[in-house]
Amino acid sequence: MSDPILTSPLSSQLKAHTHAIHEQLDHAIMTAGMFSDRPGYQNFVLVQYRFHRDLNVLYGDPALARIVPDLPARNRFAQLVEDMADLDIPTPEATERPVAHDPSEAMGWLYVAEGSKLGAGILTRLAEKLGFGASFGARHLQPDPAGRGRSWSAFQEAIDRAGLDPDRCVIGAESGFTRVIDYLGSVTSARA
């Protein structure tokens, strides 16, 4: 009998294999008080900025855009730059934090970023309670033009039919989650 995880669509395999680390990240964000006050939210935006700065190159990769045709339009880095300016957060010095360039691993990294847009619906409401929204401080949390669900479904369908290496995708996704956790740890230890 075959393993149902290994015969399921790639997006389902990614979800199954990264569930624990995804839960760890969600818990860390919520327990760090990132939506309890302005300094906490500024730390959240800084974490997002650093992660999306690392991924920025992937959104412009022509090979990856052949897999997800609207990939460049999905990039939130420009909105994060604006949110950083709104919140008077100094731009951190750029450090070389490479991400995968293998298409399968790269899609794993992008899976983390694209999947976070679903949870951003809840985070948007929390940011609004602090006074941040679509035109000030929380641009990067806004849904893609197609809407959160439809955009996520289109991304899943694209990676499911792309013939990517599932093991490499899982490695990329785990690396992406780990990178966000590392960035989160750096801002929360500085706040303590």
Side-chain angles (χ1 to χ4, degrees):
M1 183 180 330
S2 63
D3 183 342
I5 290 177
L6 297 178
T7 58
S8 61
L10 176 60
S11 59
S12 297
Q13 292 179 54
L14 284 165
K15 182 177 181 178
H17 287 289
T18 63
H19 177 75
I21 195 167
H22 189 176
E23 289 293 316
Q24 178 186 349
L25 174 60
D26 287 348
H27 179 73
I29 288 172
M30 298 319 290
T31 58
M34 299 193 124
F35 289 85
S36 61
D37 57 22
R38 183 182 178 109
Y41 181 71
Q42 287 172 308
N43 282 337
F44 173 77
V45 172
L46 181 57
V47 168
Q48 291 283 80
Y49 171 86
R50 287 177 170 158
F51 182 63
H52 285 275
R53 178 188 60 197
D54 295 347
L55 296 183
N56 194 35
V57 66
L58 298 181
Y59 282 95
D61 185 307
L64 300 177
R66 285 192 287 279
I67 297 168
V68 181
D70 67 341
L71 189 62
R74 292 170 171 270
N75 191 349
R76 293 183 281 173
F77 186 64
Q79 290 91 341
L80 277 156
V81 169
E82 290 182 72
D83 289 343
M84 294 275 288
D86 289 345
L87 298 167
D88 297 318
I89 303 170
T91 303
E93 182 178 319
T95 56
E96 186 67 28
R97 296 289 312 259
V99 295
H101 293 290
D102 166 80
S104 294
E105 275 190 58
M107 278 301 162
W109 282 82
L110 290 168
Y111 171 87
V112 176
E114 291 300 309
S116 72
K117 293 177 182 179
L118 285 176
I122 294 166
L123 301 181
T124 298
R125 289 190 291 282
L126 295 173
E128 287 171 349
K129 290 179 180 178
L130 296 172
F132 308 117
S135 61
F136 184 85
R139 291 174 184 86
H140 77 282
L141 293 176
Q142 303 313 303
D144 289 336
R148 292 186 201 285
R150 186 172 287 159
S151 179
W152 176 238
S153 293
F155 180 81
Q156 289 179 299
E157 289 168 13
I159 65 172
D160 286 346
R161 67 174 180 264
L164 298 166
D165 180 316
D167 293 333
R168 306 287 311 163
C169 282
V170 168
I171 289 168
E174 288 174 341
S175 297
F177 280 117
T178 299
R179 178 76 53 90
V180 179
I181 290 168
D182 288 349
Y183 284 144
L184 181 60
S186 71
V187 300
T188 55
S189 64
R191 187 174 183 192

